[in-house]
Amino acid sequence: MKYRMKAALLAICVSACSAFGFSVYAEGSHAAAAVSDQKAGTGVNHSAEKKQGEEESHDLFPISGKTLSAFDFSVGGVSLGDSISSLSSLGTAEKVIHENTTDSYIFKDMTVKRTAPFLLSYSHRVDLPEDFKFPGKGISEIVVSGAGAKTPRGIGVGSSREDVLRAYGRPLMVLWDGRGKSFHFRYGSGLKEMDVTLTGDKVSSIRLASLTSPVKRGDVSYDSGEGPLYLGDRDFKVAGYELGSTFQAHPFEEWEKKMANPKEEILYFPGYAVRLTVKSSLISALFLTDNRMVTSRGLSLGDDVSTVDLLYGKPHRVEMNVSGSEPKTSYIYFSKGKSDVLIINFSKNKVEGIVNAMNPTK
């Protein structure tokens, strides 16, 4: 039984490698045509994208490992909850906007907001609804939009996605804006939240905000639901698609390439691919193809093995493939009950393949 499981997992690894261009996956004339198109230059050349990413490589941030503190919710010496007088450290605001509920102070690289004082004067009225809450006195929001402002951990506009992960750890939540081609990494502690927006694998803005209710870690943390030894259901989703469900393409994007055989087909979208059955369109596997897509924990192709360890911890199984010119390693993680499997492939300590698949032994 153990041998059959190992052989089945190896088969998934091989098919995953095939989907990433290591060898031809599909069978039949449709697949051959798709491969021919790619060789002819009409297909998607992910190897070129990878080389471009390698040229932009830089020294990675060291892994922080520190939990969030009040100091982390500050920029340029200005913290959430500070009085508006603390803005003197930033100089004179380029513009001040007074609106019905907020006052905004706009500087070159950041905007600072506070709840309008007159609105706060109503916060103690007894006739307000019980669920109506104010963010409190002082600065309630800081939005970083320029490269000149950095967080206390050295992250700012232009920082890489992987550096954000290494500086702050696993996000409480990763949100994908498919229409806007961006991601939101959310962190939080108590009544404070940090939302890091990433576009093109780089930080495009950072928003710090005071909340009216504490961050509910149990609702968004990947530690909940399935126990510490297995990955939760969210870990096996990519771009909103779920293993075993019927495929229905998002209305805001079209597939770039298609490979097929009589039983299965693979549809390639920007940054990821979906493998499904031809007969019933059931999703059997989800692949990442380049860094335009990330996992539910923020990981993507090209990331360091130490970043994988930070986000996912020790794998349930490790497989080695030494048949090629370069040794390849696969980290294998299971869902509770081992019905789903996450496989992360490495070469030279860098992620070069990520696949979520239904476990063929179940």
Side-chain angles (χ1 to χ4, degrees):
M1 177 66 183
K2 184 176 181 180
Y3 174 79
R4 288 199 300 271
M5 177 176 285
K6 183 175 181 179
L9 292 174
L10 181 60
I12 295 178
C13 291
V14 171
S15 66
C17 291
S18 302
F20 298 127
F22 303 147
S23 61
V24 178
Y25 152 72
E27 303 171 359
S29 58
H30 295 293
V35 174
S36 298
D37 287 343
Q38 185 177 22
K39 290 181 179 179
T42 59
V44 181
N45 189 349
H46 296 300
S47 62
E49 293 170 358
K50 183 178 179 182
K51 289 180 180 178
Q52 183 180 2
E54 289 174 350
E55 292 173 357
E56 297 173 355
S57 62
H58 64 285
D59 293 334
L60 286 173
F61 266 41
I63 293 177
S64 170
K66 297 179 180 179
T67 58
L68 290 176
S69 66
F71 186 56
D72 284 308
F73 298 95
S74 66
V75 177
V78 177
S79 301
L80 293 177
D82 283 356
S83 67
I84 210 67
S85 62
S86 66
L87 296 182
S88 60
S89 63
L90 301 178
T92 303
E94 295 179 353
K95 190 176 183 180
V96 179
I97 301 175
H98 298 287
E99 299 176 293
N100 291 335
T101 59
T102 59
D103 295 333
S104 299
Y105 298 79
I106 302 173
F107 297 87
K108 178 182 178 182
D109 295 307
M110 57 191 286
T111 297
V112 179
K113 297 183 179 182
R114 69 169 178 176
T115 302
F118 92 90
L119 185 62
L120 288 175
S121 66
Y122 286 86
S123 62
H124 300 295
R125 289 183 56 143
V126 296
D127 58 339
L128 290 175
E130 292 183 1
D131 59 349
F132 190 88
K133 298 180 180 179
F134 294 88
K137 296 181 179 180
I139 295 170
S140 59
E141 184 176 340
I142 302 171
V143 178
V144 177
S145 56
K150 304 286 186 182
T151 70
R153 301 196 186 195
I155 297 297
V157 171
S159 295
S160 73
R161 170 193 49 77
E162 189 173 9
D163 280 348
V164 173
L165 295 171
R166 296 173 72 88
Y168 290 97
R170 185 174 64 187
L172 291 176
M173 183 176 290
V174 174
L175 302 176
W176 175 51
D177 179 0
R179 296 182 187 276
K181 309 297 182 184
S182 62
F183 296 91
H184 294 267
F185 287 8
R186 288 190 175 171
Y187 299 87
S189 177
L191 291 171
K192 297 175 181 179
E193 180 184 69
M194 178 174 69
D195 187 315
V196 181
T197 303
L198 298 119
T199 306
D201 216 39
K202 301 287 186 181
V203 174
S204 55
S205 68
I206 302 172
R207 176 179 177 270
L208 307 177
S210 296
L211 306 175
T212 56
S213 60
V215 173
K216 297 180 180 179
R217 302 184 64 88
D219 291 346
V220 295
S221 173
Y222 297 105
D223 293 329
S224 65
E226 298 294 334
L229 297 180
Y230 298 100
L231 302 186
D233 292 340
R234 195 179 337 188
D235 285 305
F236 298 95
K237 296 180 181 180
V238 173
Y241 294 117
E242 184 175 358
L243 295 174
S245 63
T246 301
F247 174 76
Q248 185 174 359
H250 298 310
F252 50 79
E253 64 179 358
E254 298 180 355
W255 54 268
E256 300 174 326
K257 185 181 67 169
K258 179 179 180 179
M259 298 179 69
N261 64 34
K263 294 183 178 181
E264 293 182 313
E265 61 183 11
I266 299 180
L267 302 178
Y268 288 82
F269 296 90
Y272 69 99
V274 181
R275 186 168 73 189
L276 57 147
T277 60
V278 172
K279 183 177 181 180
S280 55
S281 295
L282 291 181
I283 299 174
S284 60
L286 298 161
F287 308 90
L288 265 65
T289 56
D290 58 54
N291 60 18
R292 288 178 294 175
M293 181 53 63
V294 303
T295 70
S296 62
R297 301 193 184 201
L299 188 73
S300 193
L301 303 193
D303 289 355
D304 194 78
V305 63
S306 60
T307 306
V308 179
D309 294 334
L310 170 68
L311 298 179
Y312 288 93
K314 183 180 178 181
H316 296 106
R317 189 186 296 270
V318 177
E319 299 287 354
M320 296 287 295
N321 183 357
V322 295
S323 60
S325 58
E326 292 287 346
K328 299 183 185 299
T329 304
S330 295
Y331 278 10
I332 299 171
Y333 300 87
F334 293 104
S335 64
K336 186 177 181 180
K338 299 186 177 180
S339 58
D340 297 327
V341 58
L342 167 65
I343 302 173
I344 303 175
N345 298 315
F346 301 92
S347 180
K348 297 181 179 179
N349 289 326
K350 297 294 182 181
V351 177
E352 66 173 12
I354 301 174
V355 57
N356 292 304
M358 299 172 68
N359 191 342
T361 66
K362 292 292 181 178

